[in-house]
Short mmCIF file of all heavy atoms in Angstrom, two decimals:
data_model
loop_
_atom_site.label_atom_id
_atom_site.label_comp_id
_atom_site.label_asym_id
_atom_site.label_seq_id
_atom_site.Cartn_x
_atom_site.Cartn_y
_atom_site.Cartn_z
N ILE A 1062 11.60 21.74 1.66
CA ILE A 1062 11.32 23.17 1.51
C ILE A 1062 10.40 23.64 2.65
O ILE A 1062 9.32 23.08 2.83
CB ILE A 1062 10.62 23.47 0.17
CG1 ILE A 1062 11.42 22.90 -0.98
CG2 ILE A 1062 10.41 24.97 0.00
CD1 ILE A 1062 10.69 23.02 -2.32
N PRO A 1063 10.83 24.66 3.42
CA PRO A 1063 9.92 25.15 4.47
C PRO A 1063 8.55 25.55 3.89
O PRO A 1063 8.47 26.11 2.80
CB PRO A 1063 10.66 26.34 5.05
CG PRO A 1063 12.10 26.07 4.76
CD PRO A 1063 12.11 25.35 3.44
N ALA A 1064 7.53 25.27 4.65
CA ALA A 1064 6.14 25.46 4.18
C ALA A 1064 5.88 26.86 3.70
O ALA A 1064 5.09 27.07 2.76
CB ALA A 1064 5.17 25.11 5.31
N VAL A 1065 6.48 27.88 4.32
CA VAL A 1065 6.13 29.26 3.99
C VAL A 1065 7.15 29.89 3.07
O VAL A 1065 7.11 31.10 2.81
CB VAL A 1065 5.96 30.10 5.27
CG1 VAL A 1065 4.76 29.61 6.07
CG2 VAL A 1065 7.21 30.05 6.15
N ASP A 1066 8.08 29.11 2.54
CA ASP A 1066 9.05 29.61 1.58
C ASP A 1066 8.35 29.74 0.20
O ASP A 1066 7.54 28.90 -0.18
CB ASP A 1066 10.21 28.61 1.49
CG ASP A 1066 11.43 29.13 0.75
OD1 ASP A 1066 11.34 29.39 -0.48
OD2 ASP A 1066 12.47 29.28 1.41
N ALA A 1067 8.71 30.81 -0.54
CA ALA A 1067 8.10 30.98 -1.86
C ALA A 1067 8.42 29.79 -2.76
O ALA A 1067 7.65 29.46 -3.67
CB ALA A 1067 8.60 32.28 -2.52
N GLY A 1068 9.52 29.12 -2.50
CA GLY A 1068 9.87 27.94 -3.27
C GLY A 1068 8.85 26.83 -3.09
O GLY A 1068 8.68 25.98 -3.96
N HIS A 1069 8.14 26.85 -1.97
CA HIS A 1069 7.11 25.83 -1.75
C HIS A 1069 5.92 26.07 -2.67
O HIS A 1069 5.34 25.13 -3.21
CB HIS A 1069 6.68 25.83 -0.28
CG HIS A 1069 5.94 24.59 0.12
ND1 HIS A 1069 4.59 24.46 -0.03
CD2 HIS A 1069 6.38 23.40 0.61
CE1 HIS A 1069 4.22 23.25 0.38
NE2 HIS A 1069 5.30 22.60 0.76
N GLN A 1070 5.61 27.34 -2.90
CA GLN A 1070 4.54 27.64 -3.87
C GLN A 1070 4.92 27.17 -5.26
O GLN A 1070 4.11 26.57 -5.98
CB GLN A 1070 4.28 29.15 -3.90
CG GLN A 1070 3.70 29.69 -2.61
CD GLN A 1070 3.63 31.20 -2.65
OE1 GLN A 1070 4.58 31.90 -2.30
NE2 GLN A 1070 2.51 31.72 -3.09
N ARG A 1071 6.17 27.44 -5.63
CA ARG A 1071 6.61 27.04 -6.98
C ARG A 1071 6.61 25.51 -7.09
O ARG A 1071 6.27 24.97 -8.16
CB ARG A 1071 7.99 27.62 -7.26
CG ARG A 1071 8.03 29.16 -7.31
CD ARG A 1071 9.32 29.67 -7.91
NE ARG A 1071 10.47 29.39 -7.09
CZ ARG A 1071 10.92 30.18 -6.10
NH1 ARG A 1071 10.29 31.32 -5.80
NH2 ARG A 1071 11.99 29.85 -5.40
N MET A 1072 6.98 24.86 -6.01
CA MET A 1072 6.98 23.38 -6.03
C MET A 1072 5.56 22.88 -6.25
O MET A 1072 5.33 21.91 -7.00
CB MET A 1072 7.53 22.86 -4.71
CG MET A 1072 7.49 21.34 -4.54
SD MET A 1072 8.37 20.42 -5.82
CE MET A 1072 10.06 20.84 -5.41
N ALA A 1073 4.59 23.50 -5.59
CA ALA A 1073 3.19 23.08 -5.74
C ALA A 1073 2.76 23.23 -7.21
O ALA A 1073 2.10 22.35 -7.77
CB ALA A 1073 2.29 23.90 -4.83
N THR A 1074 3.13 24.33 -7.81
CA THR A 1074 2.76 24.56 -9.21
C THR A 1074 3.44 23.53 -10.13
O THR A 1074 2.84 23.01 -11.07
CB THR A 1074 3.13 25.99 -9.65
OG1 THR A 1074 2.48 26.90 -8.74
CG2 THR A 1074 2.68 26.30 -11.06
N ASP A 1075 4.71 23.23 -9.82
CA ASP A 1075 5.41 22.19 -10.58
C ASP A 1075 4.70 20.85 -10.47
O ASP A 1075 4.64 20.08 -11.45
CB ASP A 1075 6.85 22.03 -10.06
CG ASP A 1075 7.76 23.15 -10.52
OD1 ASP A 1075 7.37 23.93 -11.44
OD2 ASP A 1075 8.88 23.29 -9.96
N CYS A 1076 4.18 20.55 -9.29
CA CYS A 1076 3.44 19.29 -9.12
C CYS A 1076 2.23 19.26 -10.06
O CYS A 1076 1.93 18.23 -10.68
CB CYS A 1076 2.95 19.11 -7.68
SG CYS A 1076 4.25 18.70 -6.52
N GLY A 1077 1.53 20.41 -10.14
CA GLY A 1077 0.37 20.50 -11.03
C GLY A 1077 0.76 20.28 -12.49
O GLY A 1077 0.10 19.57 -13.24
N ARG A 1078 1.87 20.91 -12.87
CA ARG A 1078 2.33 20.74 -14.27
C ARG A 1078 2.72 19.30 -14.55
O ARG A 1078 2.34 18.70 -15.54
CB ARG A 1078 3.56 21.65 -14.50
CG ARG A 1078 3.21 23.03 -15.03
CD ARG A 1078 4.46 23.72 -15.56
NE ARG A 1078 5.30 24.19 -14.48
CZ ARG A 1078 5.21 25.43 -13.95
NH1 ARG A 1078 4.35 26.30 -14.46
NH2 ARG A 1078 5.99 25.81 -12.97
N ARG A 1079 3.47 18.74 -13.62
CA ARG A 1079 4.05 17.42 -13.85
C ARG A 1079 3.00 16.31 -13.86
O ARG A 1079 3.11 15.37 -14.65
CB ARG A 1079 5.12 17.15 -12.77
CG ARG A 1079 5.76 15.78 -12.84
CD ARG A 1079 6.50 15.53 -14.15
NE ARG A 1079 6.80 14.11 -14.28
CZ ARG A 1079 6.84 13.44 -15.43
NH1 ARG A 1079 6.62 14.06 -16.57
NH2 ARG A 1079 7.08 12.14 -15.47
N ILE A 1080 1.97 16.41 -13.00
CA ILE A 1080 1.02 15.31 -12.92
C ILE A 1080 0.29 15.13 -14.26
O ILE A 1080 -0.08 14.02 -14.65
CB ILE A 1080 0.04 15.47 -11.73
CG1 ILE A 1080 -0.83 14.22 -11.53
CG2 ILE A 1080 -0.87 16.68 -11.90
CD1 ILE A 1080 -0.09 13.00 -11.11
N VAL A 1081 0.07 16.22 -14.98
CA VAL A 1081 -0.61 16.13 -16.28
C VAL A 1081 0.25 15.30 -17.24
O VAL A 1081 -0.23 14.40 -17.92
CB VAL A 1081 -0.89 17.53 -16.85
CG1 VAL A 1081 -1.48 17.44 -18.25
CG2 VAL A 1081 -1.85 18.29 -15.93
N ASP A 1082 1.53 15.58 -17.25
CA ASP A 1082 2.46 14.81 -18.11
C ASP A 1082 2.48 13.34 -17.68
O ASP A 1082 2.53 12.43 -18.51
CB ASP A 1082 3.88 15.38 -18.04
CG ASP A 1082 3.98 16.73 -18.72
OD1 ASP A 1082 3.06 17.08 -19.49
OD2 ASP A 1082 4.96 17.46 -18.44
N MET A 1083 2.44 13.13 -16.35
CA MET A 1083 2.47 11.74 -15.87
C MET A 1083 1.26 10.95 -16.35
O MET A 1083 1.36 9.74 -16.62
CB MET A 1083 2.50 11.71 -14.33
CG MET A 1083 3.89 11.97 -13.76
SD MET A 1083 3.82 12.06 -11.95
CE MET A 1083 3.49 10.35 -11.53
N VAL A 1084 0.13 11.62 -16.45
CA VAL A 1084 -1.08 10.93 -16.95
C VAL A 1084 -0.84 10.50 -18.40
O VAL A 1084 -1.09 9.33 -18.75
CB VAL A 1084 -2.31 11.84 -16.84
CG1 VAL A 1084 -3.51 11.23 -17.58
CG2 VAL A 1084 -2.65 12.08 -15.38
N TRP A 1085 -0.34 11.41 -19.25
CA TRP A 1085 -0.09 11.05 -20.65
C TRP A 1085 0.96 9.95 -20.77
O TRP A 1085 0.90 9.09 -21.65
CB TRP A 1085 0.32 12.27 -21.46
CG TRP A 1085 -0.76 13.32 -21.60
CD1 TRP A 1085 -0.66 14.63 -21.30
CD2 TRP A 1085 -2.09 13.14 -22.12
NE1 TRP A 1085 -1.83 15.30 -21.56
CE2 TRP A 1085 -2.73 14.39 -22.08
CE3 TRP A 1085 -2.80 12.03 -22.57
CZ2 TRP A 1085 -4.05 14.58 -22.49
CZ3 TRP A 1085 -4.12 12.20 -23.00
CH2 TRP A 1085 -4.72 13.47 -22.95
N GLU A 1086 1.95 9.98 -19.83
CA GLU A 1086 3.02 8.96 -19.86
C GLU A 1086 2.57 7.65 -19.21
O GLU A 1086 3.27 6.65 -19.29
CB GLU A 1086 4.25 9.49 -19.10
CG GLU A 1086 4.93 10.64 -19.76
CD GLU A 1086 5.85 11.40 -18.80
OE1 GLU A 1086 6.07 10.92 -17.68
OE2 GLU A 1086 6.33 12.48 -19.20
N ASP A 1087 1.42 7.71 -18.50
CA ASP A 1087 0.92 6.57 -17.77
C ASP A 1087 1.93 6.05 -16.75
O ASP A 1087 2.15 4.85 -16.59
CB ASP A 1087 0.49 5.42 -18.70
CG ASP A 1087 -0.48 4.46 -18.03
OD1 ASP A 1087 -1.17 4.89 -17.07
OD2 ASP A 1087 -0.56 3.29 -18.43
N LEU A 1088 2.55 7.00 -16.03
CA LEU A 1088 3.55 6.67 -15.01
C LEU A 1088 2.84 6.53 -13.66
O LEU A 1088 2.39 7.51 -13.07
CB LEU A 1088 4.63 7.76 -14.96
CG LEU A 1088 5.76 7.56 -13.93
CD1 LEU A 1088 6.53 6.28 -14.22
CD2 LEU A 1088 6.69 8.76 -13.94
N LYS A 1089 2.75 5.32 -13.19
CA LYS A 1089 1.92 5.03 -12.01
C LYS A 1089 2.82 4.60 -10.81
O LYS A 1089 3.99 4.25 -11.00
CB LYS A 1089 0.95 3.87 -12.33
CG LYS A 1089 0.07 4.13 -13.55
CD LYS A 1089 -0.93 3.01 -13.78
CE LYS A 1089 -0.31 1.70 -14.15
NZ LYS A 1089 0.50 1.68 -15.38
N PRO A 1090 2.24 4.58 -9.59
CA PRO A 1090 3.02 4.12 -8.44
C PRO A 1090 3.65 2.75 -8.66
O PRO A 1090 4.77 2.50 -8.23
CB PRO A 1090 1.98 4.10 -7.31
CG PRO A 1090 1.02 5.17 -7.69
CD PRO A 1090 0.95 5.14 -9.18
N SER A 1091 2.95 1.85 -9.37
CA SER A 1091 3.50 0.53 -9.58
C SER A 1091 4.74 0.52 -10.46
O SER A 1091 5.50 -0.43 -10.48
CB SER A 1091 2.46 -0.42 -10.18
OG SER A 1091 1.90 0.13 -11.36
N ASP A 1092 4.96 1.63 -11.21
CA ASP A 1092 6.19 1.75 -12.02
C ASP A 1092 7.34 2.26 -11.16
O ASP A 1092 8.50 2.24 -11.60
CB ASP A 1092 5.97 2.73 -13.18
CG ASP A 1092 4.84 2.27 -14.08
OD1 ASP A 1092 4.84 1.10 -14.46
OD2 ASP A 1092 3.95 3.10 -14.38
N ILE A 1093 7.03 2.78 -9.98
CA ILE A 1093 8.03 3.46 -9.16
C ILE A 1093 8.40 2.67 -7.91
O ILE A 1093 9.56 2.60 -7.51
CB ILE A 1093 7.46 4.85 -8.76
CG1 ILE A 1093 7.27 5.70 -10.02
CG2 ILE A 1093 8.35 5.57 -7.75
CD1 ILE A 1093 6.46 6.97 -9.80
N LEU A 1094 7.38 2.05 -7.30
CA LEU A 1094 7.56 1.51 -5.95
C LEU A 1094 7.86 0.02 -5.90
O LEU A 1094 7.03 -0.79 -5.48
CB LEU A 1094 6.30 1.84 -5.11
CG LEU A 1094 6.07 3.32 -4.91
CD1 LEU A 1094 4.74 3.57 -4.20
CD2 LEU A 1094 7.20 3.96 -4.13
N GLY A 1095 9.04 -0.34 -6.34
CA GLY A 1095 9.49 -1.72 -6.20
C GLY A 1095 10.38 -1.87 -4.97
O GLY A 1095 10.54 -0.93 -4.17
N GLU A 1096 10.97 -3.05 -4.84
CA GLU A 1096 11.80 -3.33 -3.67
C GLU A 1096 12.97 -2.33 -3.54
O GLU A 1096 13.29 -1.88 -2.44
CB GLU A 1096 12.34 -4.76 -3.79
CG GLU A 1096 13.09 -5.21 -2.54
CD GLU A 1096 13.54 -6.66 -2.68
OE1 GLU A 1096 14.50 -6.92 -3.39
OE2 GLU A 1096 12.89 -7.53 -2.06
N ALA A 1097 13.57 -1.99 -4.67
CA ALA A 1097 14.72 -1.07 -4.60
C ALA A 1097 14.32 0.29 -4.04
O ALA A 1097 15.06 0.89 -3.25
CB ALA A 1097 15.33 -0.92 -5.99
N ALA A 1098 13.15 0.75 -4.42
CA ALA A 1098 12.67 2.06 -3.92
C ALA A 1098 12.47 2.00 -2.40
O ALA A 1098 12.85 2.95 -1.67
CB ALA A 1098 11.36 2.46 -4.61
N PHE A 1099 11.90 0.91 -1.91
CA PHE A 1099 11.70 0.79 -0.46
C PHE A 1099 13.04 0.65 0.29
O PHE A 1099 13.20 1.20 1.38
CB PHE A 1099 10.73 -0.36 -0.14
CG PHE A 1099 9.29 0.06 -0.31
CD1 PHE A 1099 8.62 -0.23 -1.49
CD2 PHE A 1099 8.66 0.79 0.66
CE1 PHE A 1099 7.31 0.18 -1.66
CE2 PHE A 1099 7.34 1.22 0.49
CZ PHE A 1099 6.65 0.92 -0.68
N HIS A 1100 13.97 -0.07 -0.30
CA HIS A 1100 15.29 -0.17 0.36
C HIS A 1100 15.98 1.20 0.38
O HIS A 1100 16.59 1.57 1.38
CB HIS A 1100 16.15 -1.23 -0.33
CG HIS A 1100 15.75 -2.63 0.03
ND1 HIS A 1100 16.51 -3.73 -0.20
CD2 HIS A 1100 14.63 -3.11 0.62
CE1 HIS A 1100 15.90 -4.82 0.23
NE2 HIS A 1100 14.75 -4.46 0.75
N ASN A 1101 15.89 1.93 -0.73
CA ASN A 1101 16.43 3.30 -0.74
C ASN A 1101 15.81 4.13 0.38
O ASN A 1101 16.48 4.83 1.13
CB ASN A 1101 16.12 4.00 -2.07
CG ASN A 1101 17.04 3.54 -3.20
OD1 ASN A 1101 18.09 2.94 -2.96
ND2 ASN A 1101 16.66 3.88 -4.42
N ALA A 1102 14.47 4.06 0.47
CA ALA A 1102 13.75 4.88 1.45
C ALA A 1102 14.17 4.50 2.87
O ALA A 1102 14.34 5.36 3.74
CB ALA A 1102 12.26 4.72 1.25
N ALA A 1103 14.31 3.20 3.10
CA ALA A 1103 14.69 2.78 4.47
C ALA A 1103 16.10 3.27 4.81
O ALA A 1103 16.35 3.75 5.92
CB ALA A 1103 14.63 1.25 4.57
N LYS A 1104 17.02 3.19 3.85
CA LYS A 1104 18.39 3.67 4.12
C LYS A 1104 18.41 5.18 4.33
O LYS A 1104 19.08 5.68 5.26
CB LYS A 1104 19.30 3.30 2.94
CG LYS A 1104 19.61 1.84 2.84
CD LYS A 1104 20.52 1.60 1.63
CE LYS A 1104 20.44 0.17 1.17
NZ LYS A 1104 21.05 -0.04 -0.14
N VAL A 1105 17.67 5.90 3.52
CA VAL A 1105 17.62 7.36 3.68
C VAL A 1105 17.01 7.70 5.04
O VAL A 1105 17.49 8.58 5.76
CB VAL A 1105 16.82 8.03 2.53
CG1 VAL A 1105 16.50 9.46 2.83
CG2 VAL A 1105 17.59 7.89 1.23
N ALA A 1106 15.97 6.98 5.43
CA ALA A 1106 15.35 7.21 6.73
C ALA A 1106 16.38 7.01 7.85
O ALA A 1106 16.49 7.83 8.75
CB ALA A 1106 14.14 6.29 6.92
N MET A 1107 17.13 5.92 7.78
CA MET A 1107 18.15 5.66 8.80
C MET A 1107 19.19 6.76 8.83
O MET A 1107 19.67 7.16 9.90
CB MET A 1107 18.83 4.32 8.53
CG MET A 1107 17.93 3.13 8.58
SD MET A 1107 17.39 2.73 10.26
CE MET A 1107 16.32 1.32 9.94
N ALA A 1108 19.56 7.25 7.65
CA ALA A 1108 20.58 8.30 7.58
C ALA A 1108 20.10 9.64 8.09
O ALA A 1108 20.90 10.49 8.48
CB ALA A 1108 21.07 8.44 6.14
N THR A 1109 18.77 9.83 8.12
CA THR A 1109 18.24 11.10 8.60
C THR A 1109 18.05 11.11 10.12
O THR A 1109 17.75 12.17 10.68
CB THR A 1109 16.86 11.43 7.97
OG1 THR A 1109 15.96 10.40 8.32
CG2 THR A 1109 16.94 11.58 6.47
N GLY A 1110 18.15 9.95 10.78
CA GLY A 1110 17.81 9.91 12.20
C GLY A 1110 16.34 9.86 12.40
O GLY A 1110 15.76 10.56 13.26
N CYS A 1111 15.71 8.99 11.63
CA CYS A 1111 14.23 9.02 11.49
C CYS A 1111 13.48 8.70 12.77
O CYS A 1111 13.99 8.12 13.71
CB CYS A 1111 13.84 8.03 10.41
SG CYS A 1111 14.23 6.31 10.82
N SER A 1112 12.20 9.04 12.71
CA SER A 1112 11.25 8.68 13.75
C SER A 1112 11.08 7.17 13.79
O SER A 1112 11.11 6.49 12.77
CB SER A 1112 9.90 9.33 13.40
OG SER A 1112 8.86 8.68 14.05
N THR A 1113 10.84 6.64 14.99
CA THR A 1113 10.56 5.21 15.11
C THR A 1113 9.29 4.82 14.38
O THR A 1113 9.13 3.68 13.95
CB THR A 1113 10.41 4.83 16.61
OG1 THR A 1113 9.60 5.83 17.26
CG2 THR A 1113 11.76 4.77 17.32
N ASN A 1114 8.40 5.79 14.18
CA ASN A 1114 7.17 5.50 13.46
C ASN A 1114 7.42 5.10 12.01
O ASN A 1114 6.54 4.49 11.37
CB ASN A 1114 6.24 6.72 13.50
CG ASN A 1114 5.69 6.95 14.89
OD1 ASN A 1114 5.32 6.01 15.58
ND2 ASN A 1114 5.67 8.21 15.31
N ALA A 1115 8.58 5.45 11.50
CA ALA A 1115 8.92 5.10 10.10
C ALA A 1115 8.80 3.60 9.89
O ALA A 1115 8.41 3.15 8.81
CB ALA A 1115 10.33 5.57 9.78
N VAL A 1116 9.15 2.84 10.92
CA VAL A 1116 9.14 1.38 10.80
C VAL A 1116 7.73 0.89 10.45
O VAL A 1116 7.52 0.15 9.49
CB VAL A 1116 9.60 0.72 12.12
CG1 VAL A 1116 9.43 -0.78 12.08
CG2 VAL A 1116 11.07 1.09 12.38
N VAL A 1117 6.75 1.35 11.21
CA VAL A 1117 5.37 0.91 11.02
C VAL A 1117 4.86 1.34 9.65
O VAL A 1117 4.27 0.56 8.90
CB VAL A 1117 4.47 1.48 12.14
CG1 VAL A 1117 3.02 1.08 11.92
CG2 VAL A 1117 4.94 1.01 13.48
N HIS A 1118 5.09 2.60 9.30
CA HIS A 1118 4.55 3.13 8.05
C HIS A 1118 5.24 2.54 6.83
O HIS A 1118 4.61 2.27 5.81
CB HIS A 1118 4.62 4.65 8.04
CG HIS A 1118 3.87 5.31 9.15
ND1 HIS A 1118 2.64 4.89 9.58
CD2 HIS A 1118 4.20 6.37 9.96
CE1 HIS A 1118 2.22 5.66 10.58
NE2 HIS A 1118 3.16 6.54 10.82
N LEU A 1119 6.56 2.37 6.92
CA LEU A 1119 7.29 1.80 5.77
C LEU A 1119 6.79 0.38 5.49
O LEU A 1119 6.58 -0.01 4.33
CB LEU A 1119 8.78 1.75 6.08
CG LEU A 1119 9.66 2.86 5.50
CD1 LEU A 1119 11.06 2.78 6.07
CD2 LEU A 1119 9.72 2.84 3.96
N ILE A 1120 6.63 -0.40 6.54
CA ILE A 1120 6.18 -1.79 6.35
C ILE A 1120 4.77 -1.78 5.77
O ILE A 1120 4.47 -2.55 4.85
CB ILE A 1120 6.25 -2.56 7.70
CG1 ILE A 1120 7.72 -2.80 8.07
CG2 ILE A 1120 5.49 -3.88 7.60
CD1 ILE A 1120 7.95 -3.44 9.42
N ALA A 1121 3.90 -0.92 6.29
CA ALA A 1121 2.53 -0.88 5.77
C ALA A 1121 2.49 -0.49 4.29
O ALA A 1121 1.78 -1.10 3.49
CB ALA A 1121 1.70 0.10 6.59
N MET A 1122 3.28 0.51 3.89
CA MET A 1122 3.29 0.94 2.49
C MET A 1122 3.87 -0.17 1.62
O MET A 1122 3.36 -0.45 0.53
CB MET A 1122 4.09 2.23 2.35
CG MET A 1122 3.41 3.42 2.98
SD MET A 1122 4.19 5.00 2.57
CE MET A 1122 5.76 4.86 3.35
N ALA A 1123 4.95 -0.79 2.09
CA ALA A 1123 5.59 -1.85 1.30
C ALA A 1123 4.63 -3.01 1.08
O ALA A 1123 4.54 -3.54 -0.03
CB ALA A 1123 6.87 -2.32 2.00
N ARG A 1124 3.90 -3.39 2.11
CA ARG A 1124 2.97 -4.51 1.96
C ARG A 1124 1.88 -4.17 0.95
O ARG A 1124 1.44 -5.03 0.19
CB ARG A 1124 2.39 -4.89 3.32
CG ARG A 1124 3.42 -5.56 4.22
CD ARG A 1124 2.94 -5.66 5.65
NE ARG A 1124 2.00 -6.75 5.85
CZ ARG A 1124 2.36 -7.98 6.25
NH1 ARG A 1124 3.61 -8.27 6.46
NH2 ARG A 1124 1.45 -8.92 6.42
N ARG A 1125 1.43 -2.89 0.95
CA ARG A 1125 0.46 -2.50 -0.08
C ARG A 1125 1.05 -2.67 -1.47
O ARG A 1125 0.36 -2.98 -2.42
CB ARG A 1125 0.06 -1.02 0.11
CG ARG A 1125 -0.79 -0.73 1.31
CD ARG A 1125 -2.25 -0.98 0.99
NE ARG A 1125 -3.09 -0.67 2.13
CZ ARG A 1125 -4.16 0.11 2.05
NH1 ARG A 1125 -4.52 0.66 0.93
NH2 ARG A 1125 -4.89 0.31 3.14
N ALA A 1126 2.36 -2.43 -1.58
CA ALA A 1126 3.02 -2.49 -2.88
C ALA A 1126 3.49 -3.89 -3.20
O ALA A 1126 4.16 -4.09 -4.23
CB ALA A 1126 4.19 -1.52 -2.92
N GLY A 1127 3.19 -4.84 -2.34
CA GLY A 1127 3.60 -6.22 -2.60
C GLY A 1127 5.08 -6.46 -2.39
O GLY A 1127 5.66 -7.41 -2.92
N VAL A 1128 5.72 -5.58 -1.59
CA VAL A 1128 7.16 -5.71 -1.31
C VAL A 1128 7.33 -6.29 0.09
O VAL A 1128 6.70 -5.82 1.05
CB VAL A 1128 7.86 -4.34 -1.40
CG1 VAL A 1128 9.30 -4.44 -0.89
CG2 VAL A 1128 7.85 -3.84 -2.84
N ASP A 1129 8.15 -7.32 0.20
CA ASP A 1129 8.36 -7.98 1.49
C ASP A 1129 9.43 -7.22 2.28
O ASP A 1129 10.62 -7.41 2.07
CB ASP A 1129 8.79 -9.42 1.22
CG ASP A 1129 9.00 -10.19 2.53
OD1 ASP A 1129 8.33 -9.85 3.52
OD2 ASP A 1129 9.83 -11.12 2.54
N LEU A 1130 9.00 -6.33 3.14
CA LEU A 1130 9.93 -5.53 3.96
C LEU A 1130 9.61 -5.85 5.43
O LEU A 1130 8.49 -5.62 5.88
CB LEU A 1130 9.72 -4.04 3.69
CG LEU A 1130 10.72 -3.09 4.35
CD1 LEU A 1130 12.09 -3.21 3.67
CD2 LEU A 1130 10.24 -1.64 4.26
N THR A 1131 10.58 -6.40 6.16
CA THR A 1131 10.33 -6.85 7.52
C THR A 1131 11.23 -6.08 8.49
O THR A 1131 12.15 -5.37 8.11
CB THR A 1131 10.65 -8.33 7.66
OG1 THR A 1131 12.05 -8.50 7.46
CG2 THR A 1131 9.86 -9.17 6.68
N LEU A 1132 10.97 -6.29 9.79
CA LEU A 1132 11.82 -5.68 10.81
C LEU A 1132 13.27 -6.13 10.66
O LEU A 1132 14.18 -5.32 10.86
CB LEU A 1132 11.33 -6.08 12.22
CG LEU A 1132 9.94 -5.57 12.66
CD1 LEU A 1132 9.63 -6.06 14.06
CD2 LEU A 1132 9.92 -4.05 12.63
#
Side-chain angles (χ1 to χ4, degrees):
I1062 307 173
V1065 294
D1066 192 294
H1069 197 272
Q1070 293 173 272
R1071 296 193 294 272
M1072 175 58 70
T1074 304
D1075 284 347
C1076 287
R1078 269 194 284 268
R1079 176 62 195 146
I1080 188 66
V1081 175
D1082 291 343
M1083 281 176 70
V1084 171
W1085 293 127
E1086 293 162 9
D1087 201 24
L1088 181 60
K1089 305 184 294 299
S1091 54
D1092 301 311
I1093 296 167
L1094 296 174
E1096 187 176 76
F1099 279 97
H1100 283 195
N1101 282 345
K1104 288 179 201 168
V1105 167
M1107 297 290 179
T1109 61
C1111 63
S1112 159
T1113 44
N1114 290 318
V1116 172
V1117 177
H1118 300 318
L1119 261 171
I1120 290 175
M1122 291 190 293
R1124 289 168 79 93
R1125 290 276 182 130
V1128 170
D1129 182 28
L1130 187 72
T1131 65
L1132 294 180

